mmCIF file of all heavy atoms in Angstrom:
data_model
loop_
_atom_site.group_PDB
_atom_site.id
_atom_site.type_symbol
_atom_site.label_atom_id
_atom_site.label_comp_id
_atom_site.label_asym_id
_atom_site.label_seq_id
_atom_site.Cartn_x
_atom_site.Cartn_y
_atom_site.Cartn_z
ATOM 1 N N ASN O 69 -7.984 2.941 -7.756
ATOM 2 C CA ASN O 69 -7.618 1.607 -7.194
ATOM 3 C C ASN O 69 -8.705 1.203 -6.237
ATOM 4 O O ASN O 69 -9.185 2.023 -5.431
ATOM 5 C CB ASN O 69 -6.294 1.729 -6.409
ATOM 6 C CG ASN O 69 -5.101 2.025 -7.275
ATOM 7 O OD1 ASN O 69 -4.811 1.253 -8.198
ATOM 8 N ND2 ASN O 69 -4.421 3.136 -7.031
ATOM 9 N N TYR O 98 -0.330 -10.786 -2.175
ATOM 10 C CA TYR O 98 -0.905 -9.706 -3.014
ATOM 11 C C TYR O 98 -1.335 -10.332 -4.352
ATOM 12 O O TYR O 98 -0.532 -11.010 -4.994
ATOM 13 C CB TYR O 98 0.160 -8.666 -3.246
ATOM 14 C CG TYR O 98 -0.086 -7.645 -4.334
ATOM 15 C CD1 TYR O 98 -0.499 -6.370 -4.065
ATOM 16 C CD2 TYR O 98 0.153 -7.995 -5.695
ATOM 17 C CE1 TYR O 98 -0.720 -5.436 -5.115
ATOM 18 C CE2 TYR O 98 -0.028 -7.099 -6.690
ATOM 19 C CZ TYR O 98 -0.468 -5.833 -6.389
ATOM 20 O OH TYR O 98 -0.665 -4.914 -7.438
ATOM 21 N N MET O 100 -3.760 -9.721 -7.995
ATOM 22 C CA MET O 100 -4.595 -8.882 -8.861
ATOM 23 C C MET O 100 -5.604 -9.733 -9.571
ATOM 24 O O MET O 100 -5.280 -10.742 -10.190
ATOM 25 C CB MET O 100 -3.721 -8.161 -9.912
ATOM 26 C CG MET O 100 -3.025 -6.954 -9.378
ATOM 27 S SD MET O 100 -1.867 -6.288 -10.593
ATOM 28 C CE MET O 100 -2.961 -5.392 -11.619
ATOM 29 N N VAL O 105 -7.347 -4.915 -14.461
ATOM 30 C CA VAL O 105 -6.661 -4.036 -15.417
ATOM 31 C C VAL O 105 -7.352 -4.178 -16.774
ATOM 32 O O VAL O 105 -8.168 -5.100 -17.002
ATOM 33 C CB VAL O 105 -5.166 -4.421 -15.580
ATOM 34 C CG1 VAL O 105 -4.394 -3.966 -14.356
ATOM 35 C CG2 VAL O 105 -4.948 -5.894 -15.825
ATOM 36 N N GLU O 107 -6.525 -5.043 -19.896
ATOM 37 C CA GLU O 107 -6.335 -6.298 -20.616
ATOM 38 C C GLU O 107 -6.305 -7.442 -19.600
ATOM 39 O O GLU O 107 -5.562 -7.322 -18.599
ATOM 40 C CB GLU O 107 -5.051 -6.290 -21.418
ATOM 41 C CG GLU O 107 -5.072 -7.205 -22.604
ATOM 42 C CD GLU O 107 -4.050 -6.729 -23.654
ATOM 43 O OE1 GLU O 107 -4.196 -5.564 -24.153
ATOM 44 O OE2 GLU O 107 -3.131 -7.484 -23.903
ATOM 45 N N LYS O 109 -5.695 -10.061 -16.961
ATOM 46 C CA LYS O 109 -4.444 -10.499 -16.382
ATOM 47 C C LYS O 109 -4.539 -11.981 -16.080
ATOM 48 O O LYS O 109 -5.539 -12.436 -15.567
ATOM 49 C CB LYS O 109 -4.123 -9.688 -15.108
ATOM 50 C CG LYS O 109 -2.828 -10.000 -14.505
ATOM 51 C CD LYS O 109 -2.834 -9.834 -12.989
ATOM 52 C CE LYS O 109 -1.794 -10.735 -12.332
ATOM 53 N NZ LYS O 109 -2.289 -12.086 -12.059
ATOM 54 N N ARG O 116 5.774 -10.108 -10.630
ATOM 55 C CA ARG O 116 5.531 -8.843 -9.960
ATOM 56 C C ARG O 116 4.693 -9.009 -8.713
ATOM 57 O O ARG O 116 4.961 -8.406 -7.674
ATOM 58 C CB ARG O 116 4.736 -7.936 -11.012
ATOM 59 C CG ARG O 116 4.235 -6.647 -10.421
ATOM 60 C CD ARG O 116 3.543 -5.814 -11.476
ATOM 61 N NE ARG O 116 2.863 -4.680 -10.830
ATOM 62 C CZ ARG O 116 1.678 -4.753 -10.282
ATOM 63 N NH1 ARG O 116 0.996 -5.909 -10.302
ATOM 64 N NH2 ARG O 116 1.126 -3.721 -9.700
ATOM 65 N N ILE O 120 5.768 -7.989 -4.990
ATOM 66 C CA ILE O 120 4.995 -6.999 -4.190
ATOM 67 C C ILE O 120 4.533 -7.617 -2.868
ATOM 68 O O ILE O 120 4.514 -6.996 -1.793
ATOM 69 C CB ILE O 120 3.797 -6.428 -4.995
ATOM 70 C CG1 ILE O 120 4.357 -5.561 -6.154
ATOM 71 C CG2 ILE O 120 2.871 -5.584 -4.141
ATOM 72 C CD1 ILE O 120 3.325 -4.918 -7.034
ATOM 73 N N ALA O 151 -7.057 -1.739 -10.592
ATOM 74 C CA ALA O 151 -5.690 -1.142 -10.439
ATOM 75 C C ALA O 151 -5.527 0.100 -11.307
ATOM 76 O O ALA O 151 -5.962 0.129 -12.462
ATOM 77 C CB ALA O 151 -4.640 -2.184 -10.836
ATOM 78 N N ASP O 152 -4.916 1.103 -10.728
ATOM 79 C CA ASP O 152 -4.654 2.331 -11.498
ATOM 80 C C ASP O 152 -3.385 3.056 -11.034
ATOM 81 O O ASP O 152 -3.371 4.262 -10.850
ATOM 82 C CB ASP O 152 -5.902 3.274 -11.381
ATOM 83 C CG ASP O 152 -5.791 4.456 -12.306
ATOM 84 O OD1 ASP O 152 -5.404 4.233 -13.467
ATOM 85 O OD2 ASP O 152 -6.052 5.586 -11.888
ATOM 86 N N GLY O 153 -2.328 2.264 -10.755
ATOM 87 C CA GLY O 153 -1.097 2.877 -10.335
ATOM 88 C C GLY O 153 -1.089 3.126 -8.822
ATOM 89 O O GLY O 153 -1.983 3.736 -8.277
ATOM 90 N N GLY O 154 -0.059 2.599 -8.178
ATOM 91 C CA GLY O 154 0.065 2.810 -6.719
ATOM 92 C C GLY O 154 -0.639 1.749 -5.899
ATOM 93 O O GLY O 154 -0.986 1.985 -4.738
ATOM 94 N N THR O 155 -0.881 0.571 -6.473
ATOM 95 C CA THR O 155 -1.586 -0.456 -5.744
ATOM 96 C C THR O 155 -0.789 -0.937 -4.540
ATOM 97 O O THR O 155 -1.400 -1.289 -3.511
ATOM 98 C CB THR O 155 -1.931 -1.689 -6.628
ATOM 99 O OG1 THR O 155 -0.720 -2.218 -7.142
ATOM 100 C CG2 THR O 155 -2.887 -1.314 -7.731
ATOM 101 N N ARG O 156 0.554 -1.013 -4.603
ATOM 102 C CA ARG O 156 1.294 -1.516 -3.451
ATOM 103 C C ARG O 156 1.127 -0.587 -2.259
ATOM 104 O O ARG O 156 0.989 -1.058 -1.113
ATOM 105 C CB ARG O 156 2.753 -1.765 -3.789
ATOM 106 C CG ARG O 156 3.678 -0.574 -3.776
ATOM 107 C CD ARG O 156 4.992 -0.868 -4.460
ATOM 108 N NE ARG O 156 4.805 -1.226 -5.852
ATOM 109 C CZ ARG O 156 5.671 -1.951 -6.531
ATOM 110 N NH1 ARG O 156 6.770 -2.392 -6.013
ATOM 111 N NH2 ARG O 156 5.429 -2.257 -7.814
ATOM 112 N N CYS O 157 1.074 0.733 -2.454
ATOM 113 C CA CYS O 157 0.917 1.655 -1.369
ATOM 114 C C CYS O 157 -0.510 1.594 -0.808
ATOM 115 O O CYS O 157 -0.726 1.539 0.403
ATOM 116 C CB CYS O 157 1.190 3.089 -1.832
ATOM 117 S SG CYS O 157 2.939 3.385 -2.175
ATOM 118 N N ASN O 196 -1.522 6.054 -12.704
ATOM 119 C CA ASN O 196 -1.044 5.101 -13.681
ATOM 120 C C ASN O 196 -0.358 5.775 -14.870
ATOM 121 O O ASN O 196 0.732 5.369 -15.299
ATOM 122 C CB ASN O 196 -2.210 4.214 -14.175
ATOM 123 C CG ASN O 196 -1.720 2.932 -14.792
ATOM 124 O OD1 ASN O 196 -0.633 2.428 -14.438
ATOM 125 N ND2 ASN O 196 -2.472 2.379 -15.694
ATOM 126 N N ASP O 199 2.903 7.086 -13.789
ATOM 127 C CA ASP O 199 3.829 5.958 -13.549
ATOM 128 C C ASP O 199 4.408 5.511 -14.905
ATOM 129 O O ASP O 199 5.637 5.228 -15.028
ATOM 130 C CB ASP O 199 3.093 4.845 -12.839
ATOM 131 C CG ASP O 199 4.010 3.704 -12.455
ATOM 132 O OD1 ASP O 199 5.192 3.967 -12.294
ATOM 133 O OD2 ASP O 199 3.513 2.565 -12.326
ATOM 134 N N GLN O 200 3.576 5.421 -15.893
ATOM 135 C CA GLN O 200 3.986 4.895 -17.209
ATOM 136 C C GLN O 200 4.880 5.887 -17.909
ATOM 137 O O GLN O 200 5.901 5.489 -18.504
ATOM 138 C CB GLN O 200 2.777 4.638 -18.091
ATOM 139 C CG GLN O 200 1.796 3.572 -17.577
ATOM 140 C CD GLN O 200 2.438 2.222 -17.392
ATOM 141 O OE1 GLN O 200 3.205 1.787 -18.266
ATOM 142 N NE2 GLN O 200 2.175 1.569 -16.291
ATOM 143 N N ASP O 205 9.146 7.204 -9.790
ATOM 144 C CA ASP O 205 8.056 6.729 -8.931
ATOM 145 C C ASP O 205 8.723 6.222 -7.678
ATOM 146 O O ASP O 205 9.610 5.347 -7.718
ATOM 147 C CB ASP O 205 7.271 5.609 -9.647
ATOM 148 C CG ASP O 205 6.198 4.998 -8.809
ATOM 149 O OD1 ASP O 205 5.615 5.721 -7.946
ATOM 150 O OD2 ASP O 205 5.876 3.812 -8.998
HETATM 151 P P1 LIG D 17 1.963 -0.239 -8.319
HETATM 152 O O1 LIG D 17 0.563 -0.697 -8.619
HETATM 153 O O2 LIG D 17 2.348 -0.460 -6.914
HETATM 154 O O3 LIG D 17 2.271 1.150 -8.800
HETATM 155 P P2 LIG D 17 3.540 -1.135 -10.600
HETATM 156 O O4 LIG D 17 4.340 0.151 -10.694
HETATM 157 O O5 LIG D 17 4.258 -2.415 -10.894
HETATM 158 O O6 LIG D 17 2.906 -1.264 -9.121
HETATM 159 O O7 LIG D 17 2.281 -1.037 -11.568
HETATM 160 C C1 LIG D 17 1.746 0.195 -11.920
HETATM 161 C C2 LIG D 17 0.376 -0.028 -12.489
HETATM 162 O O8 LIG D 17 0.489 -0.738 -13.743
HETATM 163 C C3 LIG D 17 -0.585 -0.883 -11.671
HETATM 164 O O9 LIG D 17 -1.155 -0.168 -10.580
HETATM 165 C C4 LIG D 17 -1.605 -1.282 -12.695
HETATM 166 O O10 LIG D 17 -2.513 -0.222 -12.917
HETATM 167 C C5 LIG D 17 -0.733 -1.434 -13.961
HETATM 168 N N1 LIG D 17 -0.446 -2.902 -14.134
HETATM 169 C C6 LIG D 17 0.282 -3.714 -13.373
HETATM 170 N N2 LIG D 17 0.323 -4.983 -13.824
HETATM 171 C C7 LIG D 17 -0.453 -4.963 -14.962
HETATM 172 C C8 LIG D 17 -0.826 -5.919 -15.932
HETATM 173 N N3 LIG D 17 -0.446 -7.196 -15.822
HETATM 174 N N4 LIG D 17 -1.599 -5.531 -16.941
HETATM 175 C C9 LIG D 17 -1.997 -4.245 -17.071
HETATM 176 N N5 LIG D 17 -1.701 -3.248 -16.199
HETATM 177 C C10 LIG D 17 -0.902 -3.599 -15.136
#
Side-chain angles (χ1 to χ4, degrees):
N69 294 300
Y98 163 103
M100 279 172 81
V105 286
E107 206 156 298
K109 185 211 152 273
R116 174 180 169 275
I120 293 181
D152 189 44
T155 58
R156 80 193 62 204
C157 289
N196 200 27
D199 186 24
Q200 299 300 317
D205 177 29

